[in-house]
Each structure stands twice: as C-alpha cells, then as structure tokens.
C-alpha cells in the first residue's frame, strides 16, 4: 500500500511512523509513506496557500489552486483522497479497515479555518475527523490514520499480535489481560485463566468485555445490543 500525505510540514513525516511496527513495515516494503509539500504547487514567489474567506468571519482558508494542482499531480483514478477536518466523519476501526483495503491513499492535511468548498467538493472523496476536538492542523490526524491503517495491512503485525481479537473488532472494548507473576502486590491473576478450559475462558472474557463496554462506552454498548437483537431475530 502507498500512503501519500500532502502537507505544509512535510519534514515532520514520517516522525513517529518511522519507528516500531510501522517503521518496520516500511523497511520491509509492505508500505510506503511519502510526504509532499503543498507549497511546491503554488505559483507565486511567497508560496501562498491561503486567503481570506468571502463573507464575514475570522481566519484564512486554503486556496483552491495549489490544492487542485497537487491532488491532480499525486492522485490517479484509483487513489482515495481523504482530507483531515474536524467536520469530517469520525474515524474509527471500521473506517481504518475500509481504508486499509485501498491501494493508494492520499491524505490532505487541513490547515487554517478550512478549505475553499469548490476544491473540497471536486477533489476530496472523504473528510475525516479523528475526534470531537480541534487540532491546530491535520498533521497529527494524518499520522493517527496512517498508524491505524498500517497495522491492518497483511504481514504488518506478527502472528502473535493479531488485529482480529482486540478492542472494537466485535464492537466491544477489550477484556482485561494478565501476565506473570501470578501474584503482584497481593493481587492474584483470576484463576479461570489458568484453568485450561478455553470455552470458559472465552465466556469470562466476553463477560468482562461486555461489562467494560457498558460502563465506559454506552454508545458502543447500545450498538452492540441492537446488533445482537437483530441477529437473534
Ligand atoms: N484538524 C483539526 N482538528 C481535527 C480533527 N479533530 N480531526 C482531523 N483533522 C483536524
């Protein structure tokens, strides 16, 4: 898979993505991440990428021309073009999985107060937010998306780090886990986990995952319950 990032700060990439699991995936050529400077697509000496909005209101907007030139240069008909934006659809594990099936992603990092709507509507397939808060730019959002998508690509996680059985895959948060020692500061590992009874362990884990989800994420819990009642009809 190829992920291209269009940004005003190409030098911050790959940054943390160059380390650990994603860094290794890049070294092993399972994944290529490249960053492109939006200013290279401007046509004035100052490299102007923003301008004032029509109508009253504060802030600056990304101009349509450099963005259009850049996306037309970097995208092919198979490219899926994402723009980071606090007004986008909220990124989640399902969307990460969908994006991981694409051959080529182009992530445009939003800057300033927004983007000229004509560029948005003609160039961008999907606006994506990483959560209901406002960042100073889309660069960290692009990194978050790259990270979540990369680890879902075939071969990126080892067999011992499967992405099948983790938070969100079934709409539940992950159950509690324990490692050695068997007793730590007078707290014992639940006995059932050493019982060797796989069916009982699975039922215990599901019970814990359901309890955590109910307590922490009523929104996910409601969806999970609705899905289950649908399935039992
Ligand atoms: N840019 C500013 N805030 C953002 C957010 N929450 N998600 C994606 N891009 C953003």
């Amino acid at each position: 898979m190829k992920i291209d990032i269009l940004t005003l700060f190409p030098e911050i990439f790959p940054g943390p993505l160059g380390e650990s699991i994603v860094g290794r995936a890049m070294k092993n050529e399972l994944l290529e991440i490249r960053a492109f400077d939006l200013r290279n697509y401007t046509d004035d000496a100052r490299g102007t990428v923003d301008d004032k909005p029509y109508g009253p209101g504060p802030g600056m907007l990304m101009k349509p021309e450099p963005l259009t030139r850049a996306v037309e240069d970097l995208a092919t008909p198979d490219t899926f073009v994402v723009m980071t934006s606090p007004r986008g659809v909220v990124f989640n594990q399902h969307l990460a999985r969908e994006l991981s099936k694409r051959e080529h992603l182009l992530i445009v990092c939003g800057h300033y107060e927004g983007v000229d709507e004509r560029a948005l509507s003609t160039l961008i397939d999907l606006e994506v937010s990483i959560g209901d808060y406002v960042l100073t730019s889309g660069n960290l959002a692009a990194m978050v998306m790259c990270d979540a998508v990369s680890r879902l690509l075939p071969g990126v996680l080892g067999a011992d780090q499967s992405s099948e059985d983790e938070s969100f895959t079934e709409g539940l948060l992950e159950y509690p886990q324990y490692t050695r020692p068997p007793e730590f500061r007078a707290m014992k590992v639940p006995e059932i986990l050493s019982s060797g009874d796989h069916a009982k362990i699975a039922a215990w884990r599901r019970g814990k995952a359901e309890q955590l989800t109910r307590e922490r994420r009523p929104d996910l819990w409601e969806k999970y319950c609705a899905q289950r009642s649908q399935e039992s009809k």
Side-chain angles (χ1 to χ4, degrees), residues 83-88 110-111 128-139 141-142 145:
M83 170 125 213
T84 61
S85 163
R87 71 168 207 186
H111 290 272
V128 180
S129 161
I130 61 161
D132 292 337
Y133 41 80
V134 181
L135 303 166
T136 54
S137 78
N139 289 289
M145 283 191 260

